[in-house]
Amino acid sequence: MRILKYIFLLFILVTIGLTVFIATQPANYQAKAEMVIPVNRVTLFNYLNNYRNWESWNFISEGDAQTKLNFPGNTVGKLGYMTFSGNKNGWIQTTDLVKNQEINFKISENGEITLGSFSLRDTLGKTKIICKRTGSLTFSDKFDATFSGGPKTLVNNQLLVSLEQLSKFLKAELGVYKTEILPAVSLKPLFFVGKKIRCKQGDLNPELLRWIPFLQEFFVKNKLRKAGQPMAIYKSAPNAAIL
């Protein structure tokens, strides 16, 4: 019985000591991760510049299925934003950008403010993306960082995983969908299921990547038979194209 008391007392002392040790560790960090993604710079910029596209990769949720992204307002360009809720609660907003080159943003996560950016560089037909984040860790994050090489290493790894998910998603989507220009043809009247979108020409590729999977999922869920491959119908508009 006395041995059990000593073991329990030792456990308490170790727990207190570990808590104090973690609490006194530095919380501030400056993290950076980079990767070459096989997508041209304009397409990647337009994809990142719309927060609705972020549902396809885990930059915010980091694999947490309980974190839900919400889009209550404008999601594109400077001052575009989204919110998230679940195990993590907060928002992310674009603070500034340089078209086709850089996006700067601010994240509020459970009351902690983080600054971040994406920089894009042409690399032989592909794009080198450099992601940076600056902020401070919560106590639970500091606990994880203690056993992961420190705050910088922890966040670096998180950023790298997010970029890998982004690259994997875009490679898969661009590998499935391709554009083929055919001669003009006449078709008999027919019915089709579609999504009407108004957007700038430079945003067409990201919009196609976003909506075609939703339409295909609609066919599968409702057990509809497709009469061919997905198609896009364009109509001209001032500085825009309608899909």
Side-chain angles (χ1 to χ4, degrees):
M1 190 67 178
R2 181 175 298 179
I3 294 177
L4 291 178
K5 290 182 179 179
Y6 285 139
I7 293 176
F8 179 73
L9 178 61
L10 180 61
F11 174 78
I12 296 296
L13 292 175
V14 170
T15 301
I16 294 174
L18 182 61
T19 301
V20 172
F21 175 77
I22 293 174
T24 56
Q25 294 302 298
N28 297 332
Y29 65 85
Q30 290 183 329
K32 173 182 175 182
E34 57 187 58
M35 179 174 292
V36 175
I37 296 180
V39 177
N40 72 70
R41 180 162 53 90
V42 174
T43 298
L44 182 55
F45 177 88
N46 289 329
Y47 186 84
L48 294 172
N49 194 35
N50 188 343
Y51 286 119
R52 290 186 179 274
N53 295 327
W54 290 33
E55 287 185 296
S56 60
W57 58 304
N58 62 353
F59 186 78
I60 294 296
S61 63
E62 296 171 357
D64 181 7
Q66 300 302 317
T67 299
K68 180 182 178 181
L69 306 186
N70 308 292
F71 310 101
N74 175 47
T75 60
V76 181
K78 186 175 181 178
L79 301 183
Y81 73 102
M82 70 175 177
T83 63
F84 50 93
S85 57
N87 292 332
K88 298 179 180 181
N89 295 280
W91 49 263
I92 177 171
Q93 183 176 49
T94 300
T95 56
D96 199 7
L97 56 82
V98 178
K99 187 171 178 60
N100 298 329
Q101 297 182 37
E102 186 170 309
I103 299 175
N104 299 298
F105 52 87
K106 180 188 293 185
I107 301 175
S108 174
E109 182 178 317
N110 296 332
E112 296 289 337
I113 298 297
T114 301
L115 301 179
S117 67
F118 294 116
S119 298
L120 308 179
R121 304 287 185 267
D122 286 323
T123 308
L124 299 176
K126 302 178 182 180
T127 304
K128 182 178 183 180
I129 179 172
I130 303 170
C131 180
K132 298 179 180 178
R133 284 186 69 171
T134 303
S136 59
L137 301 179
T138 62
F139 180 83
S140 60
D141 289 333
K142 287 169 66 175
F143 181 87
D144 293 336
T146 300
F147 303 98
S148 303
K152 182 177 180 180
T153 300
L154 174 68
V155 181
N156 278 354
N157 291 338
Q158 292 174 347
L159 294 181
L160 189 59
V161 169
S162 294
L163 293 183
E164 288 173 346
Q165 290 290 328
L166 174 63
S167 179
K168 181 179 179 180
F169 175 80
L170 290 177
K171 283 192 293 186
E173 292 301 305
L174 293 178
V176 171
Y177 305 112
K178 64 180 181 179
T179 301
E180 183 179 1
I181 300 177
L182 300 175
V185 296
S186 297
L187 297 176
K188 296 179 180 180
L190 51 80
F191 295 99
F192 62 88
V193 177
K195 171 69 177 179
K196 189 175 183 180
I197 303 169
R198 184 183 180 93
C199 67
K200 294 183 178 180
Q201 292 182 357
D203 296 331
L204 278 175
N205 284 340
E207 291 294 337
L208 283 171
L209 291 176
R210 176 186 170 199
W211 286 108
I212 287 179
F214 281 98
L215 292 175
Q216 291 190 318
E217 184 179 357
F218 176 82
F219 270 78
V220 173
K221 286 185 175 180
N222 292 278
K223 299 181 180 180
L224 301 178
R225 183 171 60 87
K226 294 189 297 182
Q229 297 301 316
M231 64 178 180
I233 300 176
Y234 302 92
K235 294 183 180 179
S236 62
N239 300 319
I242 298 179
L243 167 62

